[in-house]
Amino acid sequence: MEEPVLFERSVSGRRGVSPAEHDVPVTDVSALIPERFLRSQGEEAETTYDPMLPEVSELEVVRHYTRLSQWNFGVDTGFYPLGSCTMKYNPKINEDIARLDGFTTIHPYLDESLTQGALKLMYELEGYLAEITGMEAITLQPSAGAHGELCGLLMISKCLKARGEHRTKVLIPDTAHGTNPASSHLAGFKVVQIESGADGCITLDSIKEAMDTDVAALMLTNPNTLGLFEHDIVEIAEIVHERGGFVFCDGANMNALMGLVRLGELGVDVVQLNLHKTFSTPHGGGGPGSGPVGVGAELAPYLPTPRIKKESGIKREGESYSFEYDRPDSIGRLKAFYGNFAIMVRAYGYIRRCGPVGLRRVSETAILNANYIKQRLKSTFDLPYDDKPCMHEAVFSDTGLKETGVNTMDVAKRLIDYGIHPPTVYFPMVVGGAIMVEPTETESKAELDDFIAAMEAIAEEAKEKPELLRNAPFTTKVSRVDETRAARVPKLKWMPKDHMTAFD
Amino acid sequence: MEEPVLFERSVSGRRGVSPAEHDVPVTDVSALIPERFLRSQGEEAETTYDPMLPEVSELEVVRHYTRLSQWNFGVDTGFYPLGSCTMKYNPKINEDIARLDGFTTIHPYLDESLTQGALKLMYELEGYLAEITGMEAITLQPSAGAHGELCGLLMISKCLKARGEHRTKVLIPDTAHGTNPASSHLAGFKVVQIESGADGCITLDSIKEAMDTDVAALMLTNPNTLGLFEHDIVEIAEIVHERGGFVFCDGANMNALMGLVRLGELGVDVVQLNLHKTFSTPHGGGGPGSGPVGVGAELAPYLPTPRIKKESGIKREGESYSFEYDRPDSIGRLKAFYGNFAIMVRAYGYIRRCGPVGLRRVSETAILNANYIKQRLKSTFDLPYDDKPCMHEAVFSDTGLKETGVNTMDVAKRLIDYGIHPPTVYFPMVVGGAIMVEPTETESKAELDDFIAAMEAIAEEAKEKPELLRNAPFTTKVSRVDETRAARVPKLKWMPKDHMTAFD
Amino acid sequence: MPYIPHTEAEVSEMLKSAGADSMEELLTCLPADYRVEGSLRLPAGMSEMALKEEMASMASMNCGSGERSVFLGAGAYAHYIPSAVDHIVSRSEFFTAYTPYQPELSQGTLQAVFEYQSFVCRLTGMDVSNASLYDGASATAEAVLMAGRITRRPGVLLSRALHPEYREVVSTYLGSLPESTGESIKEIPYCPNLGSTFVEAVKTALTGDIACVVLQHPNFFGTLEELEEVAEVAHANGSLLVVVVNEPVSFGLLKSPGEAGADIVVGENQSFGNALNYGGPHLGFMSAREKFLRQMPGRLVGETVDTEGRRAFCLTFATREQHIRRERATSNICTNHGLTALAASVHLALLGEAGLRELAHLNLSKATYLKERLKSIEGVNLIFSSPTFNEFVLCLGTDPEPVLKVLLEKGIVGGLALGRFYPELREHLLVTATEINSRTEIDNFADALGTVMASVLGVTGT
Amino acid sequence: MPYIPHTEAEVSEMLKSAGADSMEELLTCLPADYRVEGSLRLPAGMSEMALKEEMASMASMNCGSGERSVFLGAGAYAHYIPSAVDHIVSRSEFFTAYTPYQPELSQGTLQAVFEYQSFVCRLTGMDVSNASLYDGASATAEAVLMAGRITRRPGVLLSRALHPEYREVVSTYLGSLPESTGESIKEIPYCPNLGSTFVEAVKTALTGDIACVVLQHPNFFGTLEELEEVAEVAHANGSLLVVVVNEPVSFGLLKSPGEAGADIVVGENQSFGNALNYGGPHLGFMSAREKFLRQMPGRLVGETVDTEGRRAFCLTFATREQHIRRERATSNICTNHGLTALAASVHLALLGEAGLRELAHLNLSKATYLKERLKSIEGVNLIFSSPTFNEFVLCLGTDPEPVLKVLLEKGIVGGLALGRFYPELREHLLVTATEINSRTEIDNFADALGTVMASVLGVTGT
Ligand SMILES: Cc1ncc(COP(=O)(O)O)c(C=O)c1O
Ligand SMILES: Cc1ncc(COP(=O)(O)O)c(C=O)c1O
């Protein structure tokens, strides 16, 4: 079914939902607000914005978005082994608890006496995350992983200033996610790229060489984006510390480590977590997320304001929770109010439901699933790094397919026809035509076997019918889209035909 | 995507959700319950039932049903002009209010003091339905339209007994829905079929002829299933009454009459309503529904127990509501507890939201939409009855297509490829190859125009590429299914391959 | 106007196409003298926001089970519904017409029904299951009618331990039949010691005109019935055994009625995936032995293939049904309880074999703990000795109503006073515990009842 | 174990295929000396049912807006969310990865984002909008950084009537930049009579190093700003005007910032379709003039065609973004606020043009009624004379905290005491009314405040 852009369904004068009743006197707008402030009404407006918003009925809105949803692929639709994204099952119960009135309708400026449940939840969640990561203190404020990275880097910067040091560089491995260098730049640092060693991990030597007194921090991802545990992390951290730097761990891949090792104990000074990955919250077509940051003792004073405080009250029975704003060394705020609370509710629920045994089992199973795929597929697809078991994901390359003329993109598109969401492709860049497979722990053996079979079938097809791959997918609403044209002839919003400029 | 029967996904020992914690001592079952009562456990059981229930993970269950849902077509998916079914938009707000804890978690045997809200809602809903139908009293107990028919017929039977009369027949027009004769039979009556007149309505003469002292009731549908208002209803009712019979109106088509005429005032003695049609509640793949029955004064004593009573309490402030069980003339009960309450909540919400002006507009618009389609399509498809405007639906026939060799079924199947749910076909039986189109009031002109265009295109195709129609649909998960085989080689439940008998 | 898309301009345009100058012109077939004058006398329409507030305030006039400890069962059971159930059942693709007329567009519903039928067969130990009936009571009536059609006998033996409202519904259904089968409903007493149906009385009543014996299992008192014994005597008499189950969680522990010899098993599957909803919609089910298939009421889905040989599902054996067979149909049922059956399926799928067993065991443990706690209260006695599942009868030795009132003040709904249905049990309570009753709730109930009983006994004592 | 499908047998089999004898063998790359000993110290796992109870009890420790009359706004607004919004947003097909990497499988998300961008452009009067940012505060910071990149100037003028927490966030973002642009943030005072930003002060502060002037509209005090005047002087100085809108319902009445001369419009779209959620996730938006497109942070969706010429949508201009450009990207943002943007779109689609206008008018009427009622209370004064939308500032002539406390006891949250952010306004309250505040609530608030003020005045009077 074709579904037009909503504006194209608009009929002037039609109504979807009407706002509530006017139970107070209807004001005369122009008597209250001078004309220079007012949006033009009526005919004139209609010609400028024809209409401002589309006018459709409730049923049409529902149908419109229902149809759009049918062109999407979610975790409930099928296997979604998008590497580095941890597309695990999002428990339905989390959606229910996040929608409890007592959570959704509370205003951030309510008196703290009216939000003790929310404060308690956040306080306890901080504690859980501290325990899982082995860090001293946690802030829940950042809105996503990259926001957390910025938060951590600003803290390092502020701490260095306090120490009276002027360090300008951050070391980042070549396998790092793009947000790492981007956040470093935003925090005012220069980025120095570190090449991975032959086994896909950072080498002690490269750090020894790069680590000078200009370096504020090493920012690594562990497990890294090749799915490998940075085995020298303890020694690396020692060197960085010795030379006055901080170790920042991008914790987006925590799904591999829960209950197995604690980053803080390995020498990590700052870590950001992606609640929307590891702790299983849906993040449709781009979020929302939540990117808590954990720090060691030295950085704790710099955490963003406010902090959450627990007191054993005298007046109130039991504990009471409150915000603490008076943190003189804090880097300040990263967002208005207190963080993406509704995401925290889901993560909190997830941790409570799984418990310590469950969380460890989550990580073990994530690792098992990745290794299973890795071993079963490595005779079919090239596996550039294979010294050790992988962690939560395995990265293949398309070099073995060279002579067939098909590449990673073709394999990915063809997988779609098998009802499977393609893995992350062409990342990390150190692997040519990377195919980064992160199955996650919620997938059954049957689902993994189907994936393996599909990949094997596609490898066969690559040899026998390469054009099939090059023209895939065949089962989707659209075939491959012309991304070049999108940039060359930008149409970034809907415009009525006769109002279109070259730009639209 | 293929999706196997859930048993085929089962892996022995796998768990979906676990029940709650055992916070009381774990009982030793065999000490409490002698073995002869117990389901066999372990190995033996496994071979008999392998397994009893499929063992799948939560994610697999969610995916399974998500995929199944994708093979279905609902009102949110597209236009659904299934005649006699009133497939209108089901407002989302109704789903929310029906899920309020205060409605879903109340046990039917709670003390009435704890369910005043529910009782009040039912009491008021009875009042609204009485006002809409013009009847004296309403019972909300029946579970669906057919259940309501049975209820009404049993009341007639009991009333006749009280009168000391022994009447054995019910007159039913040939256009009636199959539930009418079936319910009559179940209530102990013999069915006498009345032929419709040339204009599709019952004639006075046929009633005069058939109406003797053996006739307990005339059971008509108004508007009837040809979408026509029984124009002689007042006179017909007079005759039936004169000769000692009752007039039962099947009110499944009330969507055409709200705020326009009241059945009670037309001489109807009993009417059943289908809340799940007119009052807009979803009834997936077969319900649940709710079939309230309205009666005039003579039949009121026979209403099923319990009734809902309102008193201006002395002790309690304001009104209080309760059940009245002591109804000596009542036919008794038709179901345990008090009716399909959750459906009533939705219907109540719908009536309150629309209000009297809205309900009238609903019916007017339903009629407008049907007449619009009727007039626009009648040059393309045969319209057997066209003397007057139709009400909520219009019935076409396939006689005009005869020479092309395609029939109504082919047209219906081909419509699917246009993204439209086929109308009701081959009913009512008085029309050859009937195509019964009920657009409902919630469909926009654009949607109706798309339907008209599709029907016109199909009529063209019938001439030019009849095989296209005969092989349609092409866009669905399966092509036409072999219904004969389903009855010849019955497989009515899943069985493991090696346990299959001829029957499975 | 809510839910109506047309603008005024569109209405005029459409009227013109429909060949009318005004809306009124389309209404000419309505009798002019009988048109509603002005508006219906209903409250004015309201915005969605106002409606939501209004309904929330109405709902808050009820007391949900979250607010009190409720120990009621008696045919409607509060079980925890896993979150995924409602998420799935809310997918609007499942909100379809009452009949999946077009199998090509309804494979989802049809496969789900097929799976549901399979689940019911497994649980009940029967060969065939229909797609659903309204509720346990009407399903029981349908089973009785079906047994009559099969055996061509008019008589029915109903256990007095069958849910009283089910008995009422059976007699309503049979009440007006011309053959006056209504008059041949005979009630079989329960054994006052065991709490199960008096098997000797069944034997005595089994005459040549008896179509079926109807037992509830566990019965209305929560007690298990001697199905096998009754099956044997019924079959020896050429009668059928109809077993009614309205707490299907018991299937997780108990031998299936099929294995015990039942011919038709009907009842209520509300316990799976469906909320109490003040009594409805719940979920009637029916399953039977293969040979009775053609006498079964209600819809059936079968597996078949499409034109290309792919697995497909469709309605089948429709010639039993009203839309084909009209007055000769096996029942008048049309709209059934599709969505509540879907909810039950999802819940059962989530539980799986082991989950259902555990859930049943947990219910047994909860009820046993409750029973132990209550029976140790002075003045409280268990009167029936047969094994029970998750509910049981207590004798208080006094009118339970004032006792329940005191408990209610403490936030406890202490069970169902049986005098309402059984005059001979006017000092008795039916008490139920499921997994939703926490140990703390149970302890509080026992403590509170202890206190009340002490004061009652004190008063009686003096 | 919740959410983990494998049975023990499968685990062994998979381990074998993975070439390991035990799970431990797969973990050898973890440093042996640093393995977690035993279990993490976290509460034990729990069943879904137990979790639900636990969370419900935690939620009940908060007070939702249903339970009290709340007159808070200040950047987070309680509006009625039509039911259809959550039903649509809950469709799990929309729960995808953070980036629609595969356009063929993401046309739904992509078209929805494209439509959202269109809505934002229409509302703000701008040429291009991105797919979303985190929240209004970080969007403001991004706008300031963007203005710096465009003008290559270091200075920023922030209105003191910009949300105080937004100002904090801007300075956090700028705080560590090596060019120390942080130091050149300059605050522009508001006019104590009008309540809008002091335009003369803007003029004075507009020196050659100023990249942009940032105004909130309606501002933190609910007051409308003289955008056109400021745009003119800013542009004359080669600076940009950044307009921040955090109550976007005002778009229904007010001239769009674009029409008024803004160059970048950022803010918060939480008001559309998103609950308060104790402050997040909300919905940052950014739109700008076409010529600034390449300096824009965040994701953009564009319309294009597929290989067969059919309309299709995809991410575009990705070369601005971190995953391609790394440290030279326009921002580090990756995961944005996709689902909250979808909710906003659905709400806007349901409202439509006329609905949004009506909603805005209703908000104006409610706030006006409240204002009239409150200002007639003795001792209560309005201090700002410029027009307001749905919130405004009151002076109580006394510390508001004890007043708020008394109101709270009557179930009324009477507004935000401004002393927390503005020492000069320590006797002032910011009070907000939206459509969710009924006339009765407003009347009760006015009556209660009247009573409190009378007693305060009485005390002060004596
Ligand atoms: C390894 C890694 N680091 C950082 C990020 C950034 O997190 P976010 O998208 O939540 O900002 C991601 C994913 O997006 C990631 O995969
Ligand atoms: C005209 C008519 N009468 C009666 C019924 C029976 O109603 P139900 O299916 O709710 O039993 C229907 C539809 O099903 C119908 O269309």
PDB file of all heavy atoms in Angstrom, chain A residues 387-405:
ATOM      1  N   ASP A 387      41.943 -14.589  17.028  1.00  0.00           N
ATOM      2  CA  ASP A 387      42.880 -15.199  17.970  1.00  0.00           C
ATOM      3  C   ASP A 387      42.172 -15.784  19.170  1.00  0.00           C
ATOM      4  O   ASP A 387      42.547 -16.814  19.704  1.00  0.00           O
ATOM      5  CB  ASP A 387      43.863 -14.137  18.485  1.00  0.00           C
ATOM      6  CG  ASP A 387      44.756 -13.657  17.372  1.00  0.00           C
ATOM      7  OD1 ASP A 387      44.757 -14.306  16.310  1.00  0.00           O
ATOM      8  OD2 ASP A 387      45.420 -12.619  17.563  1.00  0.00           O
ATOM      9  N   LYS A 388      41.169 -15.108  19.601  1.00  0.00           N
ATOM     10  CA  LYS A 388      40.529 -15.415  20.875  1.00  0.00           C
ATOM     11  C   LYS A 388      39.031 -15.472  20.675  1.00  0.00           C
ATOM     12  O   LYS A 388      38.509 -14.975  19.679  1.00  0.00           O
ATOM     13  CB  LYS A 388      40.797 -14.258  21.860  1.00  0.00           C
ATOM     14  CG  LYS A 388      42.254 -13.986  22.147  1.00  0.00           C
ATOM     15  CD  LYS A 388      42.453 -13.868  23.646  1.00  0.00           C
ATOM     16  CE  LYS A 388      43.904 -13.688  24.013  1.00  0.00           C
ATOM     17  NZ  LYS A 388      44.345 -12.295  23.926  1.00  0.00           N
ATOM     18  N   PRO A 389      38.307 -15.994  21.635  1.00  0.00           N
ATOM     19  CA  PRO A 389      36.842 -15.863  21.566  1.00  0.00           C
ATOM     20  C   PRO A 389      36.479 -14.384  21.511  1.00  0.00           C
ATOM     21  O   PRO A 389      37.199 -13.533  22.059  1.00  0.00           O
ATOM     22  CB  PRO A 389      36.357 -16.483  22.878  1.00  0.00           C
ATOM     23  CG  PRO A 389      37.483 -17.338  23.355  1.00  0.00           C
ATOM     24  CD  PRO A 389      38.740 -16.730  22.846  1.00  0.00           C
ATOM     25  N   CYS A 390      35.413 -14.079  20.829  1.00  0.00           N
ATOM     26  CA  CYS A 390      34.955 -12.694  20.815  1.00  0.00           C
ATOM     27  C   CYS A 390      34.062 -12.463  22.021  1.00  0.00           C
ATOM     28  O   CYS A 390      33.760 -13.375  22.782  1.00  0.00           O
ATOM     29  CB  CYS A 390      34.222 -12.387  19.515  1.00  0.00           C
ATOM     30  SG  CYS A 390      32.715 -13.346  19.309  1.00  0.00           S
ATOM     31  N   MET A 391      33.646 -11.245  22.182  1.00  0.00           N
ATOM     32  CA  MET A 391      32.707 -10.957  23.264  1.00  0.00           C
ATOM     33  C   MET A 391      31.286 -10.950  22.690  1.00  0.00           C
ATOM     34  O   MET A 391      30.833 -11.956  22.215  1.00  0.00           O
ATOM     35  CB  MET A 391      33.077  -9.636  23.954  1.00  0.00           C
ATOM     36  CG  MET A 391      34.477  -9.639  24.543  1.00  0.00           C
ATOM     37  SD  MET A 391      34.694 -10.886  25.871  1.00  0.00           S
ATOM     38  CE  MET A 391      33.797 -10.133  27.209  1.00  0.00           C
ATOM     39  N   HIS A 392      30.614  -9.810  22.715  1.00  0.00           N
ATOM     40  CA  HIS A 392      29.200  -9.753  22.350  1.00  0.00           C
ATOM     41  C   HIS A 392      28.954  -9.668  20.860  1.00  0.00           C
ATOM     42  O   HIS A 392      27.822  -9.743  20.424  1.00  0.00           O
ATOM     43  CB  HIS A 392      28.576  -8.536  23.008  1.00  0.00           C
ATOM     44  CG  HIS A 392      29.199  -7.276  22.501  1.00  0.00           C
ATOM     45  ND1 HIS A 392      30.531  -6.999  22.691  1.00  0.00           N
ATOM     46  CD2 HIS A 392      28.690  -6.280  21.760  1.00  0.00           C
ATOM     47  CE1 HIS A 392      30.818  -5.854  22.117  1.00  0.00           C
ATOM     48  NE2 HIS A 392      29.733  -5.394  21.535  1.00  0.00           N
ATOM     49  N   GLU A 393      30.013  -9.437  20.072  1.00  0.00           N
ATOM     50  CA  GLU A 393      29.782  -9.340  18.639  1.00  0.00           C
ATOM     51  C   GLU A 393      30.989  -9.874  17.877  1.00  0.00           C
ATOM     52  O   GLU A 393      32.083  -9.996  18.420  1.00  0.00           O
ATOM     53  CB  GLU A 393      29.454  -7.902  18.210  1.00  0.00           C
ATOM     54  CG  GLU A 393      30.539  -6.873  18.453  1.00  0.00           C
ATOM     55  CD  GLU A 393      30.012  -5.429  18.337  1.00  0.00           C
ATOM     56  OE1 GLU A 393      28.810  -5.234  18.062  1.00  0.00           O
ATOM     57  OE2 GLU A 393      30.808  -4.504  18.554  1.00  0.00           O
ATOM     58  N   ALA A 394      30.735 -10.208  16.619  1.00  0.00           N
ATOM     59  CA  ALA A 394      31.802 -10.728  15.772  1.00  0.00           C
ATOM     60  C   ALA A 394      31.791  -9.924  14.479  1.00  0.00           C
ATOM     61  O   ALA A 394      30.729  -9.604  13.941  1.00  0.00           O
ATOM     62  CB  ALA A 394      31.562 -12.201  15.473  1.00  0.00           C
ATOM     63  N   VAL A 395      32.991  -9.592  13.983  1.00  0.00           N
ATOM     64  CA  VAL A 395      33.071  -8.769  12.773  1.00  0.00           C
ATOM     65  C   VAL A 395      33.687  -9.582  11.636  1.00  0.00           C
ATOM     66  O   VAL A 395      34.822 -10.059  11.744  1.00  0.00           O
ATOM     67  CB  VAL A 395      33.899  -7.488  13.029  1.00  0.00           C
ATOM     68  CG1 VAL A 395      33.939  -6.641  11.766  1.00  0.00           C
ATOM     69  CG2 VAL A 395      33.307  -6.702  14.190  1.00  0.00           C
ATOM     70  N   PHE A 396      32.917  -9.750  10.573  1.00  0.00           N
ATOM     71  CA  PHE A 396      33.385 -10.443   9.379  1.00  0.00           C
ATOM     72  C   PHE A 396      33.747  -9.400   8.323  1.00  0.00           C
ATOM     73  O   PHE A 396      33.436  -8.219   8.477  1.00  0.00           O
ATOM     74  CB  PHE A 396      32.288 -11.364   8.834  1.00  0.00           C
ATOM     75  CG  PHE A 396      31.864 -12.417   9.812  1.00  0.00           C
ATOM     76  CD1 PHE A 396      30.817 -12.189  10.705  1.00  0.00           C
ATOM     77  CD2 PHE A 396      32.520 -13.654   9.855  1.00  0.00           C
ATOM     78  CE1 PHE A 396      30.425 -13.150  11.617  1.00  0.00           C
ATOM     79  CE2 PHE A 396      32.123 -14.628  10.778  1.00  0.00           C
ATOM     80  CZ  PHE A 396      31.078 -14.372  11.662  1.00  0.00           C
ATOM     81  N   SER A 397      34.393  -9.868   7.245  1.00  0.00           N
ATOM     82  CA  SER A 397      34.645  -8.926   6.156  1.00  0.00           C
ATOM     83  C   SER A 397      34.193  -9.552   4.846  1.00  0.00           C
ATOM     84  O   SER A 397      33.846 -10.720   4.789  1.00  0.00           O
ATOM     85  CB  SER A 397      36.129  -8.565   6.087  1.00  0.00           C
ATOM     86  OG  SER A 397      36.781  -9.435   5.188  1.00  0.00           O
ATOM     87  N   ASP A 398      34.186  -8.729   3.785  1.00  0.00           N
ATOM     88  CA  ASP A 398      33.718  -9.245   2.495  1.00  0.00           C
ATOM     89  C   ASP A 398      34.875  -9.604   1.571  1.00  0.00           C
ATOM     90  O   ASP A 398      34.660  -9.830   0.383  1.00  0.00           O
ATOM     91  CB  ASP A 398      32.766  -8.243   1.816  1.00  0.00           C
ATOM     92  CG  ASP A 398      33.439  -6.925   1.453  1.00  0.00           C
ATOM     93  OD1 ASP A 398      34.636  -6.753   1.788  1.00  0.00           O
ATOM     94  OD2 ASP A 398      32.770  -6.079   0.853  1.00  0.00           O
ATOM     95  N   THR A 399      36.083  -9.665   2.111  1.00  0.00           N
ATOM     96  CA  THR A 399      37.225  -9.915   1.217  1.00  0.00           C
ATOM     97  C   THR A 399      37.095 -11.252   0.492  1.00  0.00           C
ATOM     98  O   THR A 399      37.458 -11.353  -0.677  1.00  0.00           O
ATOM     99  CB  THR A 399      38.568  -9.864   1.987  1.00  0.00           C
ATOM    100  OG1 THR A 399      38.390 -10.520   3.249  1.00  0.00           O
ATOM    101  CG2 THR A 399      38.995  -8.437   2.233  1.00  0.00           C
ATOM    102  N   GLY A 400      36.530 -12.236   1.170  1.00  0.00           N
ATOM    103  CA  GLY A 400      36.367 -13.539   0.525  1.00  0.00           C
ATOM    104  C   GLY A 400      35.434 -13.505  -0.687  1.00  0.00           C
ATOM    105  O   GLY A 400      35.403 -14.440  -1.489  1.00  0.00           O
ATOM    106  N   LEU A 401      34.630 -12.451  -0.771  1.00  0.00           N
ATOM    107  CA  LEU A 401      33.651 -12.377  -1.858  1.00  0.00           C
ATOM    108  C   LEU A 401      34.176 -11.612  -3.058  1.00  0.00           C
ATOM    109  O   LEU A 401      33.496 -11.514  -4.085  1.00  0.00           O
ATOM    110  CB  LEU A 401      32.360 -11.700  -1.372  1.00  0.00           C
ATOM    111  CG  LEU A 401      31.599 -12.377  -0.232  1.00  0.00           C
ATOM    112  CD1 LEU A 401      30.461 -11.494   0.239  1.00  0.00           C
ATOM    113  CD2 LEU A 401      31.086 -13.742  -0.687  1.00  0.00           C
ATOM    114  N   LYS A 402      35.376 -11.056  -2.921  1.00  0.00           N
ATOM    115  CA  LYS A 402      35.944 -10.196  -3.970  1.00  0.00           C
ATOM    116  C   LYS A 402      35.638 -10.686  -5.379  1.00  0.00           C
ATOM    117  O   LYS A 402      35.083  -9.959  -6.198  1.00  0.00           O
ATOM    118  CB  LYS A 402      37.467 -10.075  -3.784  1.00  0.00           C
ATOM    119  CG  LYS A 402      37.873  -8.991  -2.790  1.00  0.00           C
ATOM    120  CD  LYS A 402      37.935  -7.588  -3.388  1.00  0.00           C
ATOM    121  CE  LYS A 402      37.683  -6.504  -2.351  1.00  0.00           C
ATOM    122  NZ  LYS A 402      38.687  -6.513  -1.256  1.00  0.00           N
ATOM    123  N   GLU A 403      36.041 -11.934  -5.654  1.00  0.00           N
ATOM    124  CA  GLU A 403      35.948 -12.372  -7.052  1.00  0.00           C
ATOM    125  C   GLU A 403      34.510 -12.487  -7.564  1.00  0.00           C
ATOM    126  O   GLU A 403      34.281 -12.478  -8.769  1.00  0.00           O
ATOM    127  CB  GLU A 403      36.689 -13.692  -7.265  1.00  0.00           C
ATOM    128  CG  GLU A 403      36.324 -14.761  -6.258  1.00  0.00           C
ATOM    129  CD  GLU A 403      37.436 -15.825  -6.155  1.00  0.00           C
ATOM    130  OE1 GLU A 403      38.615 -15.420  -5.937  1.00  0.00           O
ATOM    131  OE2 GLU A 403      37.129 -17.009  -6.307  1.00  0.00           O
ATOM    132  N   THR A 404      33.541 -12.554  -6.662  1.00  0.00           N
ATOM    133  CA  THR A 404      32.164 -12.634  -7.142  1.00  0.00           C
ATOM    134  C   THR A 404      31.648 -11.268  -7.551  1.00  0.00           C
ATOM    135  O   THR A 404      30.586 -11.157  -8.159  1.00  0.00           O
ATOM    136  CB  THR A 404      31.225 -13.157  -6.036  1.00  0.00           C
ATOM    137  OG1 THR A 404      31.178 -12.176  -4.994  1.00  0.00           O
ATOM    138  CG2 THR A 404      31.686 -14.475  -5.470  1.00  0.00           C
ATOM    139  N   GLY A 405      32.376 -10.225  -7.153  1.00  0.00           N
ATOM    140  CA  GLY A 405      31.931  -8.888  -7.521  1.00  0.00           C
ATOM    141  C   GLY A 405      30.894  -8.303  -6.577  1.00  0.00           C
ATOM    142  O   GLY A 405      30.522  -7.153  -6.696  1.00  0.00           O
TER     143      GLY A 405
END
